Amino acid sequence: MVSAPHEAMHRIFQECPGLFSRLSDVLGLELPPLTSAEPLTVDLTETEPLERRVDTLLRIETRNDGPFLLIVEAQGKKDPGKTASWPYYVTYLNNKYRLPVLLLVICQDHATAAWAARPLTIGLPQWPTVTTRPLVAGPHNMPVITNVAEARKDLALATLSAITHADNPDVDAILKTMSVALRDTPESIAEPFVELIAQGLGNRPAAQQWRNLVAVDLSFYTSPLSEEIRDEGRAQGRAESVLLVLGARGIDVTDATRDKVTACDDPELLRRWLVRAASVTGSDEIFEETPTDR
């Protein structure tokens, strides 16, 4: 199943196709000035019943050297199957569009990045017929951006940096820098970056740190993530109120009741439990529906 970090690592290039040109120093690749980028279909399925899809595919226009295709693959771990599929993607797309093809792989750990950077050859050791050389961006070469001015200068690059450094011990500082950099950015511009960072962190501990920063530094945003965080905050506050009311009335709160209340993330249901907490004689009674609840 495709994970949220996987989606964020390549989707940022759909949001900001020009980001590839700003990776020149990271990748050690001299690129001509880019003039435009157009997303193409990611479906590489042939007439045979074999489905093949790249993560992101862009047609990049340059100022002087003509167009080329950019494949962006998000790689969360080593996958031996890519030894065959990546060369296929490159040769298939070159044959279909008759354009040069570059393959960029985005990683979040050093071991996967080192594995992905190996040339993939088809042929004999003494005579490779086809060689695929992926470009790789990851924690080994992406800058660690903890300067707010630097982050503001290129929000897309800073966002990709935060995603690729999700496991960096200094990730808290990286995320704080991003939240401050986005604070004065128009919401329509900042929202995709807020969401991509949340996706890119997945279920890592840093994900909660980012949610906390969004709740505080970006509290005025109305993005799905910020709304979800506000709902969580309201639910947590009401859950605490339910338990406080029961405790203040001298009612013994069972472990089962405490667990059920604290696990609930529905603010409206918690509101009903809070109303009942003012009159019940046993803590479990707050879960019993009354005629007025129906």
Side-chain angles (χ1 to χ4, degrees), residues 122-133:
I122 299 175
L124 299 176
Q126 65 273 31
W127 193 272
T129 306
V130 177
T131 300
T132 301
R133 297 176 58 207

Side-chain angles (χ1 to χ4, degrees), residues 62-273:
T62 67
R63 189 172 301 162
N64 302 314
D65 295 352
F68 67 90
L69 300 182
L70 175 65
I71 304 169
V72 184
E73 286 279 284
Q75 199 62 35
K77 61 182 179 180
K78 299 177 184 179
D79 180 357
K82 298 298 185 180
T83 302
S85 59
W86 283 346
Y88 172 85
Y89 297 164
V90 171
T91 54
Y92 172 85
L93 289 168
N94 176 256
N95 183 65
K96 179 178 179 178
Y97 292 97
R98 298 295 192 227
L99 290 175
V101 182
L102 290 180
L103 169 62
L104 172 63
V105 183
I106 310 297
C107 304
Q108 289 180 295
D109 68 272
H110 291 271
T112 302
W115 166 83
R118 297 176 304 167
L120 305 173
T121 59
I122 299 175
L124 299 176
Q126 65 273 31
W127 193 272
T129 306
V130 177
T131 300
T132 301
R133 297 176 58 207
L135 297 163
V136 179
H140 64 295
N141 58 1
M142 286 296 294
V144 175
I145 299 178
T146 54
N147 179 278
V148 174
E150 186 179 354
R152 283 183 178 141
K153 187 166 63 175
D154 193 335
L155 291 172
L157 182 65
T159 296
L160 183 61
S161 174
I163 292 170
T164 54
H165 287 291
D167 293 317
N168 190 304
D170 295 326
V171 68
D172 286 358
I174 297 170
L175 297 179
K176 181 59 180 176
T177 298
M178 282 303 302
S179 71
V180 174
L182 291 169
R183 186 186 299 160
D184 300 324
T185 303
E187 184 174 350
S188 60
I189 296 174
E191 182 178 334
F193 300 129
V194 173
E195 302 291 338
L196 283 166
I197 292 173
Q199 273 192 315
L201 296 174
N203 57 5
R204 294 172 172 83
Q208 186 57 51
Q209 168 70 0
W210 180 241
R211 298 174 79 83
N212 294 341
L213 289 168
V214 171
V216 176
D217 291 345
L218 308 175
S219 58
F220 48 86
Y221 280 6
T222 57
S223 68
L225 176 64
S226 60
E227 289 300 314
E228 181 183 339
I229 289 171
R230 292 186 190 107
D231 285 344
E232 288 179 358
R234 284 192 287 267
Q236 182 179 0
R238 285 182 179 171
E240 292 173 354
S241 296
V242 170
L243 299 176
L244 283 172
V245 169
L246 291 172
R249 295 185 58 229
I251 295 175
D252 182 46
V253 179
T254 66
D255 290 341
T257 296
R258 185 178 302 277
D259 291 344
K260 187 170 181 177
V261 169
T262 56
C264 182
D265 59 3
D266 183 342
E268 180 56 29
L269 181 57
L270 285 163
R271 185 194 65 79
R272 295 204 298 267
W273 291 350

Side-chain angles (χ1 to χ4, degrees), residues 38-42 54-59 69-71 93:
E38 174 191 359
L40 302 177
T41 177
V42 299
V54 297
D55 287 333
T56 286
L57 177 62
L58 301 171
R59 176 190 168 107
L69 300 182
L70 175 65
I71 304 169
L93 289 168

